[in-house]
Amino acid sequence: MSQRRLELARREAEGLRQLQNRLGLPAGGETVALYLTWLVESGATGRSIRRRLAALDLIERLEGRPPLSQRPDLVRLLRGIHRSAELGPVQPQADPLHRELLQVVVHALTEPSAEQCLRAAAMALTNATTLSATALAQLRWTDVRIEPSRMVLTPPPRHNRRAGITPGEPIVVQRAHDPRICPVALLQEARLAAGSTGLVFGGSGASWGIERIRQWLTLLPSPTVGTWLRAPLDADALLKAIGKARAPTPSQVRDRALLLLGYGAALRVHEAMHLNQGDVVVKPGGLLVTAAGRRNVAVLATGGRAEFCPVDAWLAWIDVLRESGLTGPERPAFFEVRGKVVTEHRLSRHELSRAVALGCARANLRGKYTFISLRAGYVRTSLREGHPTHWIAAQADFTALSSLARHERREQLLRKNVAAQLGL
């Protein structure tokens, strides 16, 4: 068991002993019954009472005594408590991320974001037309006409020398042979990713994001003094600059590794929170994940496609940590990322679920997805494919095969029901 769970149980047992000493009561079931009654009168919910009693049961087991919750008098007391103090509001169950849904989310994380597509298109367009950030910020989708072999731009008639345009004259951009550096192809991709309403690069409505566009163009040569025009790059240099702009961000690399490891090892939330880099060992055939408190080591085999391979995802994340100087066996496996900066803070419970939810939103998945969805998705997918339950229990660290019954019942509701058998 984890050290945190043991410390909480010892703290609960110490509180019960202090109550016994203060009231001069002997140790036994009657004292525990009085303690539970006091908790009810103090406003504790039934779920909280169950959790406290489970902690006391753990100490009893460690000391070689039967658990308190199995005593007949306490069983009757708990039955009465739950009539007056209910379990409290039950939160909706998180939707499972089955393997096919997980692959959709991971694929979305490997694809460039809408802002990255716009940045690549801005770089290619500036390199082909010498348009400045001011001109790009004023450009609207109504000023762009894309044809099979070329693109015609009609910039607004603004008399601005810095824009690098002649008012009223259209600009013709021919398609390049390489779609990776073709401004027409990249602008079409940005149109699909970001939409085609309002300004092309400057944001939404009438706002101009000139400073943001200038930041995008920093990978190109600096403007010539006096002309505000940039010297064009050759094809190889432009391809390298655009590839750097479209490269996955640190948060994308982290979330991909987090999803694949959390799913493949069926990690619980507290296991992922306290996972260190030394707990993940790379082997020729895959990864060995040793989570604190688990009896068995989780084995993640090398995937068929590199995009969904947990080894490749973990090594890519380690490369990002190495560039930030945050590698080490005792360091956390997953850090918080703010913008493009990897901080030294370990991911919290909220951040773990937020990473999963944002990835699902990026893949346009509808539902309630949290970090628990990864573990539930692994179990449900394994049951759906007919894997032996003891294999699933060993990988997911279930203490009993009966724990899989809930997942199996919910999975069979959709696969083996009367409507499905009738073809409805």
Side-chain angles (χ1 to χ4, degrees):
M1 71 189 67
S2 64
Q3 188 66 25
R4 179 175 177 272
R5 180 185 175 190
L6 184 59
E7 290 177 357
L8 292 176
R10 288 174 176 171
R11 191 182 308 167
E12 187 67 28
E14 180 62 26
L16 178 60
R17 279 193 291 268
Q18 291 179 2
L19 177 64
Q20 294 173 356
N21 297 333
R22 185 164 61 249
L23 300 180
L25 298 174
E30 294 182 358
T31 303
V32 177
L34 291 174
Y35 176 60
L36 298 181
T37 305
W38 173 75
L39 290 177
V40 174
E41 294 176 351
S42 300
T45 62
R47 190 177 299 275
S48 174
I49 293 173
R50 282 285 189 186
R51 185 172 61 250
R52 290 170 177 265
L53 186 58
L56 297 175
D57 284 345
L58 177 59
I59 298 301
E60 294 295 316
R61 288 193 183 98
L62 293 177
E63 295 180 357
R65 294 188 295 269
L68 296 170
S69 59
Q70 296 180 1
R71 293 175 60 95
D73 52 347
L74 290 181
V75 171
R76 290 193 298 269
L77 176 63
L78 289 174
R79 211 174 286 158
I81 286 177
H82 286 298
R83 290 181 182 272
S84 58
E86 299 179 357
L87 291 178
V90 179
Q91 298 297 329
Q93 182 72 19
D95 297 330
L97 264 178
H98 290 85
R99 183 174 57 192
E100 60 273 13
L101 298 179
L102 177 74
Q103 291 178 351
V104 171
V105 177
V106 172
H107 178 73
L109 290 173
T110 57
E111 291 293 313
S113 62
E115 184 171 352
Q116 289 175 314
C117 293
L118 289 173
R119 181 178 185 180
M123 294 171 59
L125 190 59
T126 297
N127 191 73
T129 62
T130 66
L131 290 175
S132 66
T134 305
L136 296 181
Q138 301 175 28
L139 192 65
R140 295 180 177 275
W141 285 111
T142 54
D143 304 326
V144 179
R145 187 175 78 251
I146 298 178
E147 300 176 356
S149 61
R150 64 176 187 172
M151 176 175 60
V152 181
L153 306 179
T154 308
R158 299 186 181 277
H159 302 276
N160 192 336
R161 288 191 306 117
R162 298 184 180 184
I165 61 176
T166 303
E169 290 188 7
I171 300 176
V172 180
V173 181
Q174 300 293 335
R175 282 188 179 270
H177 296 290
D178 191 349
R180 296 175 297 178
I181 59 175
C182 176
V184 182
L186 291 175
L187 198 61
Q188 285 179 313
E189 182 184 10
R191 186 173 186 173
L192 293 175
S196 58
T197 58
L199 299 170
V200 178
F201 303 105
S204 61
S207 60
W208 294 357
I210 299 179
E211 294 300 327
R212 183 171 62 114
I213 298 176
R214 286 174 181 168
Q215 182 65 27
W216 290 352
L217 302 179
T218 53
L219 295 177
L220 298 179
S222 301
T224 305
V225 178
T227 62
W228 298 94
L229 303 178
R230 301 174 186 268
L233 292 175
D234 55 20
D236 294 337
L238 180 61
L239 181 61
K240 184 177 180 181
I242 291 179
K244 186 176 180 180
R246 291 166 59 92
T249 61
S251 61
Q252 290 175 287
V253 178
R254 182 205 63 187
D255 293 349
R256 174 175 169 239
L258 178 65
L259 288 172
L260 292 175
L261 264 70
Y263 176 87
L267 294 177
R268 301 178 178 89
V269 177
H270 68 273
E271 292 172 347
M273 286 176 55
H274 298 93
L275 193 68
N276 293 328
Q277 298 176 28
D279 299 332
V280 183
V281 180
V282 181
K283 294 294 183 179
L287 295 177
L288 300 181
V289 180
T290 306
R294 284 202 175 191
R295 297 167 297 174
N296 301 320
V297 177
V299 181
L300 280 69
T302 304
R305 293 177 56 181
E307 185 179 8
F308 308 123
C309 178
V311 179
D312 291 349
W314 175 252
L315 293 179
W317 172 238
I318 290 297
D319 291 339
V320 174
L321 295 181
R322 187 176 293 110
E323 294 177 0
S324 303
L326 296 174
T327 55
E330 302 299 327
R331 287 181 175 269
F334 301 105
F335 294 88
E336 290 186 9
V337 178
R338 298 175 183 173
K340 295 184 178 180
V341 179
V342 182
T343 67
E344 297 183 357
H345 302 288
R346 186 187 294 267
L347 274 183
S348 62
R349 181 183 300 269
H350 171 72
E351 291 294 331
L352 286 171
S353 294
R354 184 172 180 268
V356 177
L358 290 179
C360 294
R362 182 167 180 167
N364 295 324
L365 295 184
R366 297 180 179 180
K368 180 180 175 60
Y369 295 104
T370 63
F371 190 81
I372 298 298
S373 301
L374 299 175
R375 180 178 172 86
Y378 170 83
V379 174
R380 299 275 287 273
T381 302
S382 302
L383 290 171
R384 182 185 60 187
E385 296 180 353
H387 294 296
T389 54
H390 62 278
W391 289 3
I392 305 173
Q395 181 77 354
D397 191 48
F398 281 101
T399 57
L401 294 179
S402 58
S403 303
L404 292 173
R406 175 173 58 89
H407 294 281
E408 191 168 8
R409 285 195 303 269
R410 291 181 176 176
E411 185 63 28
Q412 299 303 335
L413 284 176
L414 299 178
R415 297 180 60 239
K416 295 183 179 180
N417 56 76
V418 177
Q421 298 297 328
L422 296 177
L424 299 179

Coordinates of all heavy atoms in Angstrom, one line a residue, residues 47 90-97 367-377 380 406-407 410:
R47 N -20.7 8.8 3.4 CA -19.5 8.5 2.7 C -18.2 8.8 3.5 O -17.3 8.0 3.5 CB -19.4 9.3 1.4 CG -18.4 8.9 0.4 CD -18.5 9.7 -0.8 NE -19.7 9.5 -1.5 CZ -20.0 8.5 -2.3 NH1 -19.0 7.6 -2.6 NH2 -21.2 8.4 -2.9
V90 N -24.0 11.9 -5.5 CA -23.1 11.0 -6.3 C -22.8 11.7 -7.6 O -23.7 12.1 -8.3 CB -23.9 9.6 -6.5 CG1 -23.0 8.7 -7.4 CG2 -24.2 9.0 -5.2
Q91 N -21.5 11.9 -7.8 CA -21.1 12.5 -9.0 C -21.3 11.6 -10.2 O -21.1 10.4 -10.1 CB -19.6 12.9 -8.9 CG -19.3 13.8 -7.7 CD -19.9 15.2 -7.9 OE1 -20.1 15.6 -9.1 NE2 -20.3 15.8 -6.8
P92 N -21.5 12.2 -11.4 CA -21.7 11.3 -12.6 C -20.4 10.6 -12.9 O -19.3 11.1 -12.7 CB -22.0 12.4 -13.7 CG -22.3 13.6 -13.0 CD -21.8 13.6 -11.6
Q93 N -20.6 9.3 -13.3 CA -19.4 8.5 -13.6 C -18.8 9.1 -14.9 O -19.4 9.5 -15.8 CB -19.9 7.1 -13.9 CG -18.8 6.1 -14.2 CD -17.9 5.8 -13.0 OE1 -18.4 6.0 -11.9 NE2 -16.7 5.3 -13.2
A94 N -17.4 9.1 -14.8 CA -16.7 9.6 -16.0 C -16.8 8.6 -17.2 O -16.9 7.4 -17.0 CB -15.2 9.7 -15.6
D95 N -16.9 9.1 -18.4 CA -17.0 8.2 -19.5 C -15.7 7.5 -19.8 O -14.6 8.2 -19.7 CB -17.5 9.1 -20.7 CG -18.8 9.7 -20.6 OD1 -19.6 9.1 -19.9 OD2 -19.1 10.8 -21.1
P96 N -15.7 6.3 -20.2 CA -14.5 5.6 -20.4 C -13.9 6.0 -21.8 O -14.6 6.2 -22.8 CB -14.9 4.1 -20.4 CG -16.3 4.1 -20.8 CD -16.9 5.4 -20.2
L97 N -12.6 6.1 -21.8 CA -11.9 6.4 -23.1 C -11.4 5.0 -23.7 O -10.4 4.5 -23.3 CB -10.7 7.3 -22.8 CG -10.9 8.8 -23.1 CD1 -9.6 9.5 -22.7 CD2 -11.3 9.0 -24.5
G367 N -18.6 14.5 -23.9 CA -18.8 13.6 -22.8 C -18.1 14.1 -21.6 O -17.5 15.2 -21.6
K368 N -18.1 13.4 -20.5 CA -17.4 13.7 -19.2 C -16.2 12.9 -19.2 O -16.2 11.7 -18.9 CB -18.3 13.5 -18.0 CG -17.7 13.8 -16.7 CD -18.6 13.6 -15.5 CE -17.9 13.8 -14.2 NZ -17.4 15.2 -14.0
Y369 N -15.0 13.5 -19.4 CA -13.8 12.8 -19.5 C -12.8 13.4 -18.4 O -12.6 14.6 -18.4 CB -13.1 12.9 -20.9 CG -13.9 12.2 -21.9 CD1 -14.7 12.9 -22.9 CD2 -13.9 10.8 -22.0 CE1 -15.4 12.3 -23.8 CE2 -14.7 10.1 -23.0 CZ -15.4 10.9 -23.9 OH -16.2 10.2 -24.9
T370 N -12.3 12.6 -17.6 CA -11.3 12.9 -16.6 C -10.2 11.9 -16.6 O -10.2 11.0 -17.5 CB -12.0 12.9 -15.2 OG1 -12.4 11.6 -14.8 CG2 -13.2 13.9 -15.1
F371 N -9.3 12.0 -15.7 CA -8.1 11.1 -15.7 C -8.6 9.6 -15.5 O -8.0 8.7 -16.0 CB -7.1 11.5 -14.7 CG -5.8 10.7 -14.9 CD1 -4.9 11.1 -15.8 CD2 -5.5 9.6 -14.1 CE1 -3.7 10.3 -16.0 CE2 -4.4 8.9 -14.2 CZ -3.4 9.3 -15.2
I372 N -9.7 9.5 -14.7 CA -10.2 8.2 -14.4 C -10.7 7.5 -15.7 O -10.8 6.3 -15.8 CB -11.4 8.3 -13.4 CG1 -10.9 8.8 -12.1 CG2 -12.0 6.9 -13.2 CD1 -9.8 7.9 -11.5
S373 N -11.0 8.3 -16.8 CA -11.5 7.7 -18.0 C -10.5 6.8 -18.7 O -10.8 5.9 -19.4 CB -11.9 8.9 -19.0 OG -12.9 9.7 -18.4
L374 N -9.2 7.1 -18.4 CA -8.1 6.3 -19.0 C -8.1 4.9 -18.4 O -8.1 3.9 -19.1 CB -6.7 6.9 -18.8 CG -6.6 8.3 -19.4 CD1 -5.2 8.9 -19.0 CD2 -6.7 8.2 -20.9
R375 N -8.2 4.8 -17.1 CA -8.2 3.5 -16.4 C -9.5 2.7 -16.8 O -9.5 1.5 -17.1 CB -8.2 3.7 -14.9 CG -8.2 2.4 -14.1 CD -8.0 2.7 -12.6 NE -8.3 1.5 -11.7 CZ -7.3 0.7 -11.4 NH1 -6.1 0.8 -11.9 NH2 -7.6 -0.4 -10.7
A376 N -10.7 3.4 -16.7 CA -11.9 2.8 -17.1 C -11.9 2.3 -18.6 O -12.4 1.2 -18.9 CB -13.1 3.7 -16.8
G377 N -11.3 3.1 -19.4 CA -11.2 2.8 -20.9 C -10.4 1.5 -21.1 O -10.7 0.7 -21.9
R380 N -12.5 -1.5 -19.8 CA -13.6 -1.8 -20.6 C -13.2 -2.3 -22.0 O -13.9 -3.2 -22.5 CB -14.5 -0.6 -20.7 CG -15.0 0.0 -19.4 CD -16.3 -0.7 -19.0 NE -17.4 -0.2 -19.9 CZ -18.1 0.9 -19.6 NH1 -17.9 1.6 -18.5 NH2 -19.1 1.2 -20.4
R406 N -18.3 -4.6 -11.9 CA -19.1 -3.4 -12.3 C -18.7 -3.0 -13.7 O -19.6 -2.6 -14.5 CB -18.7 -2.3 -11.3 CG -19.2 -0.9 -11.6 CD -19.0 0.1 -10.5 NE -17.5 0.2 -10.3 CZ -16.7 1.1 -10.9 NH1 -17.3 1.9 -11.8 NH2 -15.5 1.1 -10.6
H407 N -17.5 -3.0 -14.1 CA -17.1 -2.7 -15.5 C -17.7 -3.6 -16.5 O -18.1 -3.3 -17.5 CB -15.6 -2.6 -15.6 CG -14.9 -1.6 -14.8 ND1 -14.8 -0.2 -15.2 CD2 -14.3 -1.6 -13.6 CE1 -14.2 0.5 -14.3 NE2 -13.8 -0.3 -13.3
R410 N -21.4 -3.0 -17.1 CA -21.7 -1.8 -17.9 C -21.3 -2.0 -19.3 O -21.9 -1.5 -20.3 CB -20.9 -0.6 -17.3 CG -21.5 -0.1 -16.0 CD -20.8 1.1 -15.4 NE -21.4 1.5 -14.2 CZ -20.9 2.5 -13.4 NH1 -19.8 3.1 -13.8 NH2 -21.6 2.9 -12.3

